[in-house]
Structures are given as structure tokens and as C-alpha cells.
Amino acid sequence: MGWLELKIPPPVVALLLGLLMWLASSLVAPVEVPFGYRAGVAAVLACVGVAVGLASIFQFLRARTTINPSRPGATSSLVTGGVFRFSRNPMYLSLLLYLAAWAVYLSYWLAVILVTVFVIYINRFQIKPEERALCSLFGPEYTSYKARVRRWL
């Protein structure tokens, strides 16, 4: 399954899983949660996702390095400041927050499985190959960063 490494951009993976969540939600009865509560929680999760995503993109642009997830070898600098002090993958964390917001909004308990599928897929086919590339590019500096900052949160 190594042929899937770095092939499908993470936003596309998130969109496809979000679509599957929506399609599957029509097959099973939703969890009965008042609309106001679930919409409020979903909005908070989505807003945090937007903030984390924009902050991480801004950090990459400021460092003048690539944001292209399909070409980690083109990375010109290791970004460890800002939101990258708390998560090695804040852009993927933001996508996870969007999916979690969508799951809450749909009020569909099986959507949690698809959110979990996102994490498993991104860990295996996106993050691990990126980590290999960054380790070969930045060596001990990246190894040290990896030791002190968690992958997701």
C-alpha cells in the first residue's frame, strides 16, 4: 500500500470523508441533540480549525517554505514556532477539527469512525513519509523537534 504515500492531498481526503459522512448520515437515525447545541459546538470546532489552519499556513509562508503536502522533499526550512510548538501537524489538525465539527453538526455517531479513518490514513500515508523526508533533510534538528512536540496535539 506504499503506492498511496503522498498521493492524495489531505484536503481531498478530508472532503471525501466529509461527503461519506453526509451520505452515511441519511442511512442511520441521528443522535437526538438539540440543533442549537450541536450547531454551537460544531461552530466552535470549525472556528478553532480555521484559526489553527490559517496560523500554520502563515508560519509556512513567513518561513518561505512549501505548503505542498505532496512534496515534503521541497521543504526549505523547518518551522518550529507558533502553532508548530504544540503540534507537528497543525494543518492536518485543522482538517481533523473540520471533520469533527461536521460529525457533531450531523449528529451521527458513526461519523466518529470516519473521523478515525482520517487520522489513520493521514498518519500512515501522509505524515510518516513526510517525517522520513524531514529527517533526511534536517537530521538531528528534526529528531530533536520530533522528541519534544507531539504529532497531533
Side-chain angles (χ1 to χ4, degrees):
M1 297 269 291
W3 59 272
L4 274 175
E5 289 185 350
L6 304 172
K7 296 296 186 232
I8 304 172
V12 172
V13 174
L15 284 171
L16 290 172
L17 288 171
L19 179 62
L20 281 174
M21 290 164 70
W22 176 72
L23 291 171
S25 70
S26 64
L27 302 175
V28 177
V31 176
E32 293 300 321
V33 177
F35 178 77
Y37 291 132
R38 64 187 169 136
V41 171
V44 168
L45 287 171
C47 287
V48 172
V50 167
V52 168
L54 289 176
S56 57
I57 289 170
F58 175 73
Q59 288 292 128
F60 268 35
L61 293 175
R62 198 165 113 194
R64 296 180 188 208
T65 191
T66 183
I67 61 171
N68 184 347
S70 300
R71 305 210 37 214
T75 303
S76 60
S77 64
L78 183 62
V79 179
T80 60
V83 292
F84 290 90
R85 289 177 301 164
F86 308 104
S87 171
R88 293 195 318 260
N89 299 284
M91 291 180 206
Y92 304 146
L93 176 61
S94 72
L95 293 173
L96 174 65
L97 289 167
Y98 302 148
L99 284 175
W102 185 231
V104 167
Y105 180 80
L106 291 173
S107 189
Y108 169 60
W109 68 271
L110 289 175
V112 173
I113 293 171
L114 293 173
V115 172
T116 304
V117 166
F118 175 78
V119 172
I120 292 167
Y121 181 90
I122 293 298
N123 274 334
R124 168 61 182 92
F125 298 109
Q126 192 65 42
I127 293 174
K128 286 187 180 188
E130 283 179 5
E131 288 178 341
R132 286 193 304 269
L134 293 172
C135 195
S136 74
L137 285 170
F138 301 105
E141 184 183 3
Y142 182 70
T143 302
S144 172
Y145 173 64
K146 219 172 119 172
R148 68 178 187 275
V149 178
R150 297 175 59 92
R151 183 178 278 169
W152 290 90
L153 253 186

